[in-house]
Amino acid sequence: MPAPTRAVSKSEFIAMMASLMALNALAIDIMLPALPAMGEALQIAHENERQFVLTSYLIGFGIAQLFFGPLTDRFGRRGPLLVGMGVYIVAAALAAIAPSFETLLILRFIQGMGAASTRVISQSVVRDRFEGRAMAEVMSLIFMVFMVIPVFAPTIGQLILFSGHWQMIFLFMAVLALVITLWAFFRMEETLKPENRRPLHARVIAEGFGLVFSNKSAIMYGLSAMFVMGGLFGFINTAQQIYVDIYGLGSYFPLAFAFVAALMSVSSFLNSRVVGALGMRRVAHAALIAFTVLAALLLALSASGHLPFLAFMCVFTLIMFMFGMVGSNTTTLAMEPLGKVAGTASSIFGFLQTVGGAALGALIGYIYDGSVVPVAAGFFCLGVIAIGCVLIAEDGKLFGVGKQYNR
């Protein structure tokens, strides 16, 4: 495949990686306003089953990452990415004409499988080019741009519903993915050096998996990120019901969703400014503890009776602000010691965070009872478990500095 005619600048690199990752957020968040219309059109019996449109995508997204990891470590970053993007585009276009709910779920699963390439490869490319605190800074900036999509995605979905049918949302996703694919085709450099490519043999793949799972620090940070992501997915699954059914925002609920996402973007930017001075561990550990304490507060308030909207938003936005610092740093800490198998490592952590997080989030969403309590309890319990994983990773010592790793 042709290489870019001129070098990609750092700013364009960050924007490109963020755009690739943002396709995943778009595929989830843009659907939220359309869930009631889809449920009615496809005759979904139970309103909580509408959440399967999100869950099926996430499961496909998570499982396929296990395959894209070894593929990208063997064939490089560009080829597998373009193949995955092609699958994403075709599945999204076909979903627009799905004749039944079951067919739609299958196509969403396939769309998620194609999107898995963007998650694995974007993180692998970042690890190819950066390491240590520089990697954490770049990942934070990518997360900052990436979080712009959740700010606007529900609003975009709502606007499409105002002007057309819910099927148009899938066509919008397909067209946008095509544009980003062309951008990557013409401008993305191959970052995996030929001497670092790993054969696609069962023994070599098993060796790569062994390197990941035998690294206690890496796998524990990966699991910590999985549990925190489970809480986030639990909220996303129930966001439309919380904002509309509990607080009566109606078609204005995307504005509340956007406000929270905007603060998460600000948090990621702030993280990129402070992580170089304070270090990934100090920032990640402090943010994770604050995340869990605030979740305990939200649980106590919601369990005591009806929680006013203003009180809910104040506490919840602080929780999500902390999540913005937890996400990029724990991911970086998991990837940091595994530069030699970056593709495989990214696929394993992506699988854990997506499939594990989606399963936990689906459980939280399915026990939704018309109150904020299940979501608040999910945040708190999963936050406590995530802290336990970090303690295991760090041998019981928080706020350390860590050590340097070679590429």
Side-chain angles (χ1 to χ4, degrees):
M1 295 182 182
T5 56
R6 59 183 177 84
V8 176
S9 65
K10 183 178 179 179
S11 59
E12 183 182 357
F13 172 80
I14 291 173
M16 186 185 300
M17 294 303 105
S19 297
L20 289 169
M21 291 180 64
L23 285 174
N24 303 313
L26 179 76
I28 298 169
D29 298 334
I30 199 173
M31 303 303 303
L32 299 179
L35 291 180
M38 293 172 62
E40 182 179 352
L42 298 175
Q43 299 179 337
I44 301 174
H46 195 289
E47 67 174 15
N48 283 358
E49 293 179 2
R50 300 181 313 209
Q51 302 170 11
F52 295 159
V53 175
L54 310 179
T55 304
S56 61
Y57 172 89
L58 289 170
I59 293 175
F61 176 66
I63 292 174
Q65 291 180 65
L66 291 176
F67 300 95
F68 274 109
L71 285 173
T72 190
D73 280 341
R74 168 61 181 90
F75 297 106
R77 313 307 189 197
R78 283 170 51 84
L81 172 67
L82 296 175
V83 171
M85 291 293 289
V87 172
Y88 179 103
I89 293 167
V90 172
L94 291 176
I97 56 174
S100 67
F101 185 56
E102 292 74 17
T103 303
L104 178 63
L105 293 183
I106 293 172
L107 290 170
R108 285 286 284 174
F109 179 86
I110 296 172
Q111 184 187 11
M113 293 183 69
S117 63
T118 65
R119 199 272 185 191
V120 171
I121 293 168
S122 59
Q123 290 196 353
S124 300
V125 170
V126 173
R127 183 61 185 88
D128 290 340
R129 292 188 54 168
F130 303 96
E131 60 184 48
R133 295 184 180 184
M135 180 183 173
E137 179 183 351
V138 171
M139 284 299 298
S140 295
L141 291 172
I142 289 174
F143 266 81
M144 181 191 71
V145 179
F146 158 75
M147 285 309 304
V148 171
I149 293 298
V151 172
F152 295 107
T155 303
I156 293 172
Q158 190 69 65
L159 291 174
I160 293 174
L161 289 177
F162 285 150
S163 58
H165 299 289
W166 58 265
Q167 290 91 337
M168 296 298 295
I169 292 177
F170 289 103
L171 296 179
F172 175 82
M173 281 191 283
V175 172
L176 181 61
L178 177 60
V179 172
I180 295 175
T181 300
L182 292 174
W183 182 16
F185 178 80
F186 289 109
R187 297 293 298 141
M188 179 177 164
E189 300 169 325
E190 178 56 66
T191 58
L192 182 63
K193 298 177 181 179
E195 62 269 22
N196 291 336
R197 300 194 178 197
R198 298 172 59 84
L200 198 62
H201 300 312
R203 181 184 61 81
V204 177
I205 294 173
E207 177 187 331
F209 275 61
L211 288 172
V212 176
F213 282 103
S214 63
N215 191 301
K216 183 185 70 172
S217 175
I219 198 67
M220 284 296 111
Y221 271 110
L223 288 173
S224 178
M226 179 194 78
F227 287 115
V228 175
M229 286 296 295
L232 178 64
F233 286 143
F235 168 72
I236 291 175
N237 284 338
T238 57
Q240 190 270 339
Q241 291 164 296
I242 289 174
Y243 285 132
V244 176
D245 297 343
I246 296 178
Y247 294 114
L249 298 187
S251 60
Y252 293 101
F253 101 84
L255 297 179
F257 195 92
F259 177 74
V260 174
L263 284 183
M264 292 175 67
S265 182
V266 172
S267 173
S268 294
F269 175 75
L270 179 61
N271 183 71
S272 72
R273 302 295 91 185
V274 302
V275 72
L278 300 178
M280 293 176 284
R281 283 171 170 79
R282 293 191 180 104
V283 176
H285 298 171
L288 181 56
I289 291 172
F291 172 94
T292 307
V293 171
L294 289 166
L297 175 61
L298 182 64
L299 176 58
L301 292 173
S302 59
S304 63
H306 177 71
L307 184 63
F309 178 68
L310 182 59
F312 167 75
M313 285 296 289
C314 287
V315 180
F316 183 71
T317 51
L318 289 175
I319 292 174
M320 289 295 96
F321 188 87
M322 295 304 160
F323 177 86
M325 292 189 172
V326 172
S328 58
N329 287 318
T330 51
T331 299
T332 302
L333 287 165
M335 290 287 293
E336 175 64 9
L338 301 169
K340 293 182 179 180
V341 286
T344 299
S346 180
S347 69
I348 291 173
F349 296 139
F351 171 81
L352 291 174
Q353 293 169 24
T354 306
V355 175
L360 293 168
L363 176 61
I364 294 171
Y366 203 71
I367 62 174
Y368 170 78
D369 60 357
S371 74
V372 182
V373 172
V375 171
F379 275 126
F380 173 68
C381 294
L382 295 176
V384 170
I385 298 173
I387 292 174
C389 291
V390 171
L391 287 170
I392 295 173
E394 299 291 346
D395 296 322
K397 300 177 182 178
L398 299 180
F399 306 107
V401 177
K403 59 182 179 180
Q404 298 295 319
Y405 297 93
N406 296 323
R407 288 179 183 273

